[in-house]
Amino acid sequence: MNWYEINFLLGVFFSLFAGLFVLYRGESSLRIRRTWFLLCLSSSVWHGGRLLIAIADSSSAEQIVYLIYFAAIFIPPFYLHFCVSLLEEETSRGLLIGVYCVACLELLLLSMGYLTDGVRLDPSLGFYEIPTRFYLLHFLVFVSVPAYGLFRLIDRYKKSNFPVRKNQLKYVIYASLIAFLGGGTSFLPIIQAPIPPFGAPLAYFYTLPIAYAIARYRLL
C-alpha cells in the first residue's frame, strides 16, 4: 500500500471512532452528538471509497464512484447541521431544509449518471472520476455550505465572553479549516491539475480535535 492508501485506510477507522466516541461518551447535547456522528460516518465512508477506488480495476471503479459521492454529497449538509446544533441556532431550520434538498438533487443527478461520466486511470493515484457539466454544482456546494458554517462559528467565537466556550469553538474552527482545505485537494486530479491531492487522505485529522472539544466540554 502507498502513502495515500494507508492514510485513506486510517481515515476510515479514525473518523468512525471519533463519531462513536462522541456519540456514546460525549458531554454535549444529544443533537450535537448525533449530527457529529453522521458527519463522521459520511467521512469514514468517503475515505473507504477513496481507498477502494485507488486499488480497484476499471469495472469496479465505476461502481465505487457511487459510494464515494453518496458520502461526499452529504458531508456539507451534515457539517452545517453540526455547526447549527453546536451554536443552538434554532432559526436555521429553513436553511437546513434547503441544503438537504440540494443534497437530494445531487444524489438524483448521481444516480442518473449526470454528475460523473465514468472513470479514468491516474498513473500514481489509481482511478478518478470524470466530471460532467453538472459537477460544478457539487463543487459549489462543497465550498459554500461549509464556508457558511465556518463563518457562523467564527462569528460566535468573536462574540463569546466565556473562555471555555471560546476554547471549544477554536478547536472546531481550526480543525474544520484543516478538513476542508485538505479534502478540497481531492478535486485536483478531477480537473487534471499538476498538483497532487496531498491533503485529501489526511482530511480525517479534523475529527480528533473536534471530537475532543465536544466530548470534553459541555455547551456554554
Side-chain angles (χ1 to χ4, degrees):
M1 299 181 75
N2 61 35
W3 182 83
Y4 287 98
E5 294 166 5
I6 291 172
N7 278 283
F8 281 134
L9 179 61
L10 292 175
V12 173
F13 292 104
F14 276 111
S15 297
L16 187 58
F17 171 78
L20 289 171
F21 178 78
V22 168
L23 182 63
Y24 291 106
R25 299 297 298 274
E27 297 184 11
S28 298
S29 70
L30 182 60
R31 182 186 178 192
I32 293 173
R33 288 184 280 126
R34 282 177 173 173
T35 52
W36 171 249
F37 172 73
L38 289 173
L39 176 59
C40 287
L41 180 60
S42 295
S43 179
S44 179
V45 174
W46 180 84
H47 278 88
R50 282 294 172 206
L51 170 63
L52 291 175
I53 203 170
I55 60 177
D57 55 35
S58 58
S59 59
S60 58
E62 293 188 4
Q63 301 303 315
I64 296 171
V65 166
Y66 291 97
L67 176 66
I68 293 172
Y69 280 92
F70 179 80
I73 284 170
F74 284 99
I75 287 177
F78 284 156
Y79 175 77
L80 181 60
H81 202 159
F82 164 69
C83 292
V84 168
S85 301
L86 188 65
L87 300 176
E88 293 189 316
E89 293 185 347
E90 299 295 338
T91 58
S92 298
R93 176 175 293 184
L95 174 63
L96 289 175
I97 291 174
V99 170
Y100 280 116
C101 285
V102 173
C104 290
L105 173 61
E106 286 188 72
L107 199 61
L108 180 62
L109 292 173
L110 175 67
S111 64
M112 297 175 66
Y114 292 144
L115 197 63
T116 60
D117 187 23
V119 295
R120 62 175 181 81
L121 181 61
D122 186 292
S124 58
L125 300 173
F127 287 97
Y128 249 86
E129 55 275 18
I130 301 171
T132 67
R133 60 179 179 174
F134 292 103
Y135 193 86
L136 180 61
L137 172 64
H138 174 70
F139 177 76
L140 291 176
V141 170
F142 179 87
V143 172
S144 61
V145 174
Y148 178 77
L150 187 60
F151 169 78
R152 299 301 307 152
L153 292 174
I154 294 172
D155 183 62
R156 183 65 62 87
Y157 173 82
K158 292 178 178 179
K159 295 178 179 178
S160 178
N161 296 318
F162 298 99
V164 174
R165 177 62 160 162
K166 287 178 74 74
N167 197 42
Q168 182 190 49
L169 291 175
K170 181 174 67 176
Y171 274 106
V172 178
I173 290 167
Y174 283 125
S176 297
L177 284 171
I178 292 172
F180 286 102
L181 289 176
T185 64
S186 64
F187 289 104
L188 295 176
I190 296 174
I191 61 174
Q192 301 187 44
I195 305 172
F198 55 88
L202 301 178
Y204 68 89
F205 279 153
Y206 85 97
T207 62
L208 305 179
I210 295 181
Y212 173 79
I214 59 179
R216 175 68 176 82
Y217 300 117
R218 291 183 181 275
L219 188 64
L220 293 176

